[in-house]
Amino acid sequence: MKFCEKYQDKASICFADKRATLVLKDKKEKREYRGNNPSRLLLTAYRVDEELVEGEEMKCDYAVYTETDNLYFIELKGGDYSHALDQLSNTIQLLIQPDIECPQAIHTRVVLSKLKVPGVWDSKEKKLMALLKQKYNGTHRRETQVMVENIL
């Protein structure tokens, strides 16, 4: 079963369409993830925190699944980068379960309002990047304030 087949609860889906640009941000916040969709792929955006995954578990803010079977986990964070990495790692463990076919690739993204220790690679970041590359054919990126990229 694919990710989009397992997670179909309409309450957790922000949108599912072929928009040219997707913008994910929290109300009254400046941090923003902007994904350009030049191929006009079908994108399904999920609100993970308190919608797709309820309870006290650490989890990221959003997930975006593409019709090309790519999955993006997105965390919008103040300045605690280490905690954002924990949230992303835990979200992967919570949502990529044995009954789900592994997506073609899983990518993680963090948009910070500020980075407390610029240029220092946390061991958690290295561990997450290795997991994404080796097991999920994916990538990890972080930016401050706004992240803009093309969705695959």
Side-chain angles (χ1 to χ4, degrees):
M1 165 182 331
K2 292 189 179 250
F3 186 87
C4 64
E5 294 167 345
K6 175 154 183 148
Y7 300 107
Q8 296 183 12
D9 180 15
K10 294 197 185 309
S12 64
I13 296 175
C14 303
F15 64 83
D17 57 32
K18 295 183 178 192
R19 62 185 64 187
T21 304
L22 75 91
V23 177
L24 300 173
K25 63 189 275 183
D26 292 331
K27 292 179 182 177
K28 299 182 182 180
E29 293 289 340
K30 293 181 180 179
R31 293 178 308 275
E32 176 180 298
Y33 176 84
R34 185 174 293 268
N36 296 318
N37 186 12
S39 301
R40 293 295 186 126
L41 300 170
L42 174 62
L43 306 175
T44 305
Y46 299 88
R47 179 76 179 157
V48 176
D49 194 7
E50 298 308 321
E51 293 292 340
L52 198 59
V53 178
E54 296 179 7
E56 299 300 316
E57 296 278 354
M58 282 192 302
K59 59 255 179 201
C60 68
D61 294 317
Y62 295 98
V64 176
Y65 182 79
T66 72
E67 71 178 276
T68 55
D69 200 31
N70 284 290
L71 182 59
Y72 293 79
F73 289 119
I74 300 158
E75 175 62 24
L76 306 174
K77 199 70 176 168
D80 192 348
Y81 184 54
S82 180
H83 189 250
L85 294 168
D86 290 338
Q87 288 174 275
L88 289 164
S89 295
N90 201 53
T91 301
I92 292 169
Q93 290 178 352
L94 288 169
L95 296 180
I96 306 303
Q97 299 173 358
D99 62 336
I100 294 178
E101 293 174 29
C102 190
Q104 178 180 324
I106 295 177
H107 307 282
T108 57
R109 304 295 187 247
V110 179
V111 183
L112 300 151
S113 59
K114 60 185 180 245
L115 189 57
K116 291 181 181 177
V117 186
V120 176
W121 279 38
D122 188 292
S123 63
K124 291 178 187 178
E125 182 180 48
K126 289 179 183 177
K127 185 177 177 183
L128 177 61
M129 290 174 78
L131 173 72
L132 291 169
K133 184 177 180 183
Q134 294 166 3
K135 188 170 181 180
Y136 298 115
N137 194 33
T139 60
H140 173 76
R141 283 187 56 206
R142 69 173 182 216
E143 295 285 340
T144 54
Q145 297 304 323
V146 177
M147 180 181 291
V148 180
E149 69 178 338
N150 286 340
I151 300 289
L152 305 171

